[in-house]
Every structure is written in structure tokens, then in C-alpha cells.
């Protein structure tokens, strides 16, 4: 007789429903049953509107129709993030989802560009060799055309209403056999011998037994943190922001295909354009600014009237020391949190769901296998640490002298891994490159150059090219990028064509 592994997911936020949907899509139903518990009384965090390009892969994995998804979630397209005032006031740059130039002779583009500067060729600013940035600067968007070599320069992500996305996935997953239970978990029982989570008790007194548990209970981390006592690693010494005010306002005329992040005295403000409204938030550190001042700062910078009262969210930067212990894996806020500066949370959920599905124990093992757990935790650790270093880079490379938050983040001791990356860039212009996962070469280039850092010299290998040839190739590439962007429709035109006319502004949850 074949056995069935009973998977129990605790939590119905984005993490819970992303996990449930992916499980329903790839696990054979006669071998795995999937139950999700959510509590209307507790609710979800309800933010998380900006994403990374990998989310398209996740939707593709589920076979979701892109235009239906965009309509249902009031989504827009995202080619990157514009950072304003991060280096110093008045300065801005874009972190694109696309490459800067091309590899010539196997040598990364930044070396050719730096060499051209050094040789007096007067190349255009680096960002003008990036297709995604050129499109952002024109508020333009089009799908990469895989048949044209010119269009392989960029990818894209989405902005959407987080509550609508979780609802969309919920409908999708339930239609494919996920069982949903509404109820509040008040007790978690562990097997005295194996240490595995075994039974959940609800407020109603009912119980539910499972073999494999996924903790998607949000910041509280009900199973992994509270019950299994996996310690919290605090990273607030590097990422001191601990609060955010969030508020939607009416949609403005400035319908950008990018998220905007504007540095402030005590943190930074996000601006996310959706079809029917603009999402705004002020992430800040209470060490450097009061809650009231942060709220007033946010309301003072909205493009249009706020639709509801701002809502405050509290958090700490860090993660659980292990994301998977025994027969319990934590996803989303239950496993860790890094501020939304680079929209990484939903990506971390997606990656963890995919890794979990690659490594999920066979039903016969009744939910735990130490080797698989170790591998999952190794991958999760590496990803968290890379993202942490990348986020710190935004803070540390600033020239906002005389402002307490910015002076503080410029002067604290860095993680060793980041010190190494900065030294490598400073001496030769080399940046990290990973086969999978974020953040890699072009992202680092965008932020390093964007925040005014310049290496002492470039890679010697770039010397192979004759200077005349270099000048000509730079001219051609520059023209190609500009022409391509000029041919694109505006973001608003493309959305109207793809999704139908954007709905009129209306109040929604945030
Ligand atoms: C200010 C801010 C801005 C953000 N912006 C972005 C962004 O732009 N992009 C991005 O990718 N991410 C962003 N995030 C992160 C993103 O919101 C979360 O990663 C995502 O929503 C997943 O949340 P979750 O599902 O882990 O938790 P939650 O949404 O908190 O869901 C927890 C679930 O557990 C349930 N639950 C809890 N306790 C119990 C219990 N005892 N019994 C039963 N059910 C229970 C709740 O009812 C709920 O359904 C942001 C986060 C914050 C704080």
C-alpha cells in the first residue's frame, strides 16, 4: 500500500498561498495531501507589492495566464528601481532588470567602458548602454522579444496588489485540491521521541495531525520560532530600519515602469504604481526619527490624496538560524525579514518553495530527512547573506554627511563577505557573479556606480581591443539601445492594450 504525506501549511498570506499553489501544481495528489490553515481574525501583513523578474517564472510554473493575472491583481510592469538621493541629495540612478552593454571578447562591459573613459573617448554615461534603463527614462515598456537579439538585454517583474495576489492564488489552489481551514491555531504538539511537529490545536478545540508542516504564520513564526525554538539572528546592526508606514493614494499621471525609492532623513520612501492606485510607504528607523515625524514625511510626499489612514508595520531585520528543522520548514516572514528595499521577500518565498519541492521528503520518510534539511538550509543561508550584503551596500555607500542615520551606516563594521566584494570592485572593477539567485553582476554594477564609487582601474583583458574599434562598438551599442527604447510604447499604452483600460481609481486594502 502506498502512503500519503500530509502537508499542513499554517498561514494564508502570500507565503502560504504561494506554497499551496506550487505544491498543488507539482506534487502527485495520491502521494501528498495539502491543507492550509488561515485565520481571518489575525489577518495578513497585506503589503508586498513590488517583485523581481523571477516571479514570472513562478507564475509560468503554475501555468497562470499573464494578462488574466495582471487584470486580477491590477498589476503593472517593472523594469527596475529608481533610487533617489541615496548617494547624496539630488542624485539618482536606476537598478535595472537588464544588463549594461555586452561581453566583448568575454570581458565584462564595465571594463571596456572604464577603459574608454581613461583613453579619453568620452563614452556616454554607463546607464545609456542599458536597454531597461533607457525604457525607464522614457516611461516605456514592451515585452522582451526573444526573436530579436536586441531585446535579450532585459527582463521584467510586476507591481501588484498583494492582497489580490494572495486571493488569486487561493482560488487557483483550492480549485486544484488544496483544503482550506479557517481557524486560529492555539497549540502545537511535538512528538517526544522524534522532536517532529505532530498535532495542531485550534481555538475551537478541534485538532489536526500532519506529517510535514510549513510555517507561513508571519512574523510570529508559530511553529519554527515559538515551538521548535529556532533562534533569531538579528541583523539590525547593519539594517537599522524597524518600522514602516504604508498608505495608498490615487493613481497619478506619472505611471512609471519602475519602483521609486527615495532616501529620507530617517530611512526611505517607496512609491509603487498600480493600475488603480499608487502604493506608498516610509521605511524608517526609530533610532533616528519618531513615528509621528515619519508619518508626516510620508503624507507630505504623496503624489495625490491618501485613500485611507496610513498603517504602521513593525519589524526587525534578520532571520531564523535554520529555516528548516525536523519536519517543519518556515517560509516568508516566519523565516526572516529583510527590508523591502530591493523587493526580495516574495522572491525569497518563491525560491524557498521551489527548493522545498526539490527536496521534499518521500511519503515513506514521514516528513524528515536530515540530509535534505541540511541542503535546504545551506542554500537559504547563502541567499539571505547575499541579499543582506547587497542591501547594506545601498546604505554604506552614501555621501549624506552630517545626517545621523547616514553617518551611522557609513561608519559601522561591515560583514566580511561585503568587505571582500567592495575591495575587489575598488581595485579592478570586478563584481560578484552567481549562476543562480540574486544579486549578481549588473545589479551590483548599478548600485556601485550609481552611488558614485569608481574602481582604481579596469581588467587588463580589456586591452585586447583596438581603441578605434572600441569607440565604434560603443557608438553602435549606444545607438542600438536608444533606438530600441524609442520604438517602445509607453507603459500606460501597453497596460491598456494588454489588460483593457485601467480601472478607475478606487480604495483597496493595503
Ligand atoms: C513594510 C513592508 C513592505 C513590504 N514590501 C514588499 C515588497 O514590496 N515586495 C516583497 O516581495 N515583499 C514585501 N514585503 C514582504 C511581504 O509583505 C511578505 O513577505 C509577504 O506578504 C509574505 O508574508 P507572509 O505570508 O509570510 O505573512 P503574513 O502575510 O503575515 O501571513 C501570515 C498568515 O498566518 C496566519 N496566522 C498567523 N498566526 C496564526 C494562527 N495562530 N493560527 C492560524 N493562522 C495564523 C495569518 O492569518 C496569515 O494568514 C514587505 C513587508 C513589509 C513589512
Amino acid at each position: 500500500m502506498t502512503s500519503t504525506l500530509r502537508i499542513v501549511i499554517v498561514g494564508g498570506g502570500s507565503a502560504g498561498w504561494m506554497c499551496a499553489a506550487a505544491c498543488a501544481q507539482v506534487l502527485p495528489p495520491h502521494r501528498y495531501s495539502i491543507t492550509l490553515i488561515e485565520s481571518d481574525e489575525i489577518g495578513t501583513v497585506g503589503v508586498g507589492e513590488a517583485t523581481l523578474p523571477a516571479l514570472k517564472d513562478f507564475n509560468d510554473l503554475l501555468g497562470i495566464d499573464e494578462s488574466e493575472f495582471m487584470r486580477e491583481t491590477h498589476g503593472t510592469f517593472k523594469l527596475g528601481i529608481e533610487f533617489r538621493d541615496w548617494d547624496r541629495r539630488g542624485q539618482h540612478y536606476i537598478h535595472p532588470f537588464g544588463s549594461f552593454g555586452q561581453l566583448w571578447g568575454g570581458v565584462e562591459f564595465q571594463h571596456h567602458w572604464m577603459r574608454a573613459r581613461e583613453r579619453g573617448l568620452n563614452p556616454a554615461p554607463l546607464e545609456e548602454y542599458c536597454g531597461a534603463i533607457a525604457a525607464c527614462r522614457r516611461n516605456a515598456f514592451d515585452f522582451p522579444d526573444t526573436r530579436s537579439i536586441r531585446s535579450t538585454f532585459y527582463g521584467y517583474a510586476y507591481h501588484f496588489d498583494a492582497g489580490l495576489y494572495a486571493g488569486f492564488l487561493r482560488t487557483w489552489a483550492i480549485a486544484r485540491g488544496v483544503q482550506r481551514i479557517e481557524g486560529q491555531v492555539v497549540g502545537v504538539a511535538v512528538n517526544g521521541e522524534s522532536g517532529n511537529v505532530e498535532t495542531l490545536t485550534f481555538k475551537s478545540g478541534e485538532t489536526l495531525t500532519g506529517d510535514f508542516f510549513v510555517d507561513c504564520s508571519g512574523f510570529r513564526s508559530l511553529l519554527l520560532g515559538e515551538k521548535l525554538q529556532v533562534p533569531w539572528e538579528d541583523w539590525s546592526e547593519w539594517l537599522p530600519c524597524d518600522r514602516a508606514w504604508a498608505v495608498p493614494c490615487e493613481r497619478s499621471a506619472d505611471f512609471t515602469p519602475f519602483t521609486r525609492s527615495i532616501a529620507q532623513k530617517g530611512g526611505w520612501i517607496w512609491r509603487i504604481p498600480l493600475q488603480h492606485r499608487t502604493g506608498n510607504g516610509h521605511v524608517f528607523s526609530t533610532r533616528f526619527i519618531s513615528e509621528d515625524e515619519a508619518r508626516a514625511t510620508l503624507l507630505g510626499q504623496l503624489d495625490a490624496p491618501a485613500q485611507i489612514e496610513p498603517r504602521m508595520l513593525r519589524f526587525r531585520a534578520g532571520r531564523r538560524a535554520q529555516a528548516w528543522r525536523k519536519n517543519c520548514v518556515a517560509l516568508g516572514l516566519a523565516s526572516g525579514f529583510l527590508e523591502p528595499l530591493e523587493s526580495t521577500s516574495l522572491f525569497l518565498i518563491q525560491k524557498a518553495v521551489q527548493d522545498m519541492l526539490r527536496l521534499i521528503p518521500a511519503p515513506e520518510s514521514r516528513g524528515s530527512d536530515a540530509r535534505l534539511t541540511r541542503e535546504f538550509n545551506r542554500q537559504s543561508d547563502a541567499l539571505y547573506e547575499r541579499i543582506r550584503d547587497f542591501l547594506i551596500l545601498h546604505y554604506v555607500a552614501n555621501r549624506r554627511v552630517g545626517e545621523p542615520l547616514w553617518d551611522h551606516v557609513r561608519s559601522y563594521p561591515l560583514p566580511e563577505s561585503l568587505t571582500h566584494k567592495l575591495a575587489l570592485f575598488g581595485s579592478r572593477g570586478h563584481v560578484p557573479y552567481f549562476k543562480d539567485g540574486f544579486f549578481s553582476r549588473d545589479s551590483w554594477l548599478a548600485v556601485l556606480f550609481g552611488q558614485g564609487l569608481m574602481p582604481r582601474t579596469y581588467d587588463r583583458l580589456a586591452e585586447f581591443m583596438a581603441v578605434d574599434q572600441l569607440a565604434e562598438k560603443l557608438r553602435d551599442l549606444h545607438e542600438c539601445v536608444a533606438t530600441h527604447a524609442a520604438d517602445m510604447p509607453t507603459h500606460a499604452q501597453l497596460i491598456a492594450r494588454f489588460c483593457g483600460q485601467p480601472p478607475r481609481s478606487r480604495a483597496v486594502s493595503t
Side-chain angles (χ1 to χ4, degrees), residues 86 238-241 267-268 283 339 341 390-398 405-406 409-410 412 451:
W86 276 81
W238 294 306
L239 297 169
C241 289
W268 57 278
V283 174
E339 62 182 73
L341 185 55
F390 189 57
L391 297 187
I392 296 172
L393 169 68
H394 296 66
Y395 283 102
V396 79
N398 84 79
L405 165 68
W406 300 96
V409 294
R410 236 187 3 261
Y412 55 46
Q451 300 215 176

Side-chain angles (χ1 to χ4, degrees), residues 25 54 66 68 120 145 186 219 233-234 248 263 270 330 354 371 427:
Q25 178 74 338
E66 192 173 31
E68 183 193 347
D145 174 0
V186 291
F219 285 126
E233 275 181 18
D234 191 283
W270 80 71
Q354 288 167 340
R371 289 162 308 176
S427 72

Side-chain angles (χ1 to χ4, degrees), residues 49 246-250 260 270-274 277-281 302 510:
E49 303 188 322
V247 69
C249 70
E250 284 168 26
R260 186 167 284 146
W270 80 71
R271 178 188 173 282
I272 299 177
L274 303 184
R277 63 169 163 89
T278 301
N280 309 278
L302 299 182
T510 277

Side-chain angles (χ1 to χ4, degrees), residues 10-17 36-52 162 183-186 202 216-220 222 243-246 270 272 283 313-315 331-334 336-340 342-347 349:
V10 180
S14 307
W17 285 112
L36 183 144
I37 299 156
E38 60 183 336
S39 160
D40 291 343
E41 214 174 306
I42 294 175
T44 65
V45 70
V47 279
E49 303 188 322
T51 64
L52 293 175
Q184 194 176 329
V185 177
V186 291
F202 294 94
C216 299
S217 64
F219 285 126
R220 193 170 155 200
L222 194 64
R243 299 274 196 287
W245 286 106
W270 80 71
I272 299 177
V283 174
L313 298 117
R314 293 184 162 78
F315 52 80
L331 306 178
L333 303 174
F337 183 70
L338 294 170
E339 62 182 73
E342 285 282 355
S343 324
T344 41
S345 286
L346 294 177
F347 169 72
I349 295 169

Side-chain angles (χ1 to χ4, degrees), residues 162-309:
L164 295 178
Y165 184 55
F168 181 81
L169 291 180
R170 176 200 284 161
T171 309
W172 192 97
I174 290 172
R176 283 156 186 83
V178 172
Q179 199 203 342
R180 171 184 180 267
I181 296 177
E182 149 60 31
Q184 194 176 329
V185 177
V186 291
V188 181
V190 165
N191 182 295
E193 225 169 88
S194 65
N196 280 348
V197 177
E198 220 164 49
T199 306
L200 305 178
T201 306
F202 294 94
K203 204 174 176 182
S204 64
E206 287 170 278
T207 59
L208 179 74
T209 302
D211 302 309
F212 186 75
F213 288 81
V214 190
D215 186 350
C216 299
S217 64
F219 285 126
R220 193 170 155 200
S221 194
L222 194 64
L223 277 62
L224 191 83
E226 275 189 18
K227 189 66 195 179
L228 297 182
Q229 293 282 302
V230 173
W232 176 257
E233 275 181 18
D234 191 283
W235 287 350
S236 56
E237 67 188 286
W238 294 306
L239 297 169
C241 289
D242 55 1
R243 299 274 196 287
W245 286 106
V247 69
C249 70
E250 284 168 26
R251 188 190 137 177
S252 71
D254 192 9
F255 197 47
T256 57
F258 53 85
T259 309
R260 186 167 284 146
S261 162
I262 310 150
Q264 306 290 325
K265 169 184 162 191
W268 57 278
I269 281 180
W270 80 71
R271 178 188 173 282
I272 299 177
L274 303 184
Q275 287 185 33
H276 59 312
R277 63 169 163 89
T278 301
N280 309 278
H282 187 349
V283 174
F284 61 100
S285 167
T286 45
R287 281 170 63 188
F288 297 97
I289 187 176
S290 72
E291 290 173 357
D292 288 346
E293 192 181 347
R295 185 178 186 278
T297 304
L298 176 63
L299 290 175
Q301 294 190 29
L302 299 182
D303 293 343
Q307 290 181 318
I308 52 175
E309 279 297 304

Side-chain angles (χ1 to χ4, degrees), residues 107-170:
V107 179
E108 291 169 0
F109 183 75
Q110 75 271 20
H111 301 293
H112 297 291
W113 179 77
M114 286 188 282
R115 178 168 174 243
R117 280 167 53 105
E118 218 170 277
R119 293 299 180 98
L121 298 182
N122 214 6
L126 186 65
E127 71 162 42
E128 293 184 20
Y129 298 96
C130 174
I133 298 182
C136 289
R137 294 287 181 221
R138 298 186 63 253
N139 268 351
F141 179 80
D142 209 345
F143 296 103
D145 174 0
T146 43
R147 291 163 306 175
S148 157
I149 188 72
R150 289 188 311 168
S151 303
T152 55
F153 294 156
Y154 66 95
Y156 65 92
Y158 311 103
H159 304 118
F160 53 62
D161 184 313
L164 295 178
Y165 184 55
F168 181 81
L169 291 180
R170 176 200 284 161

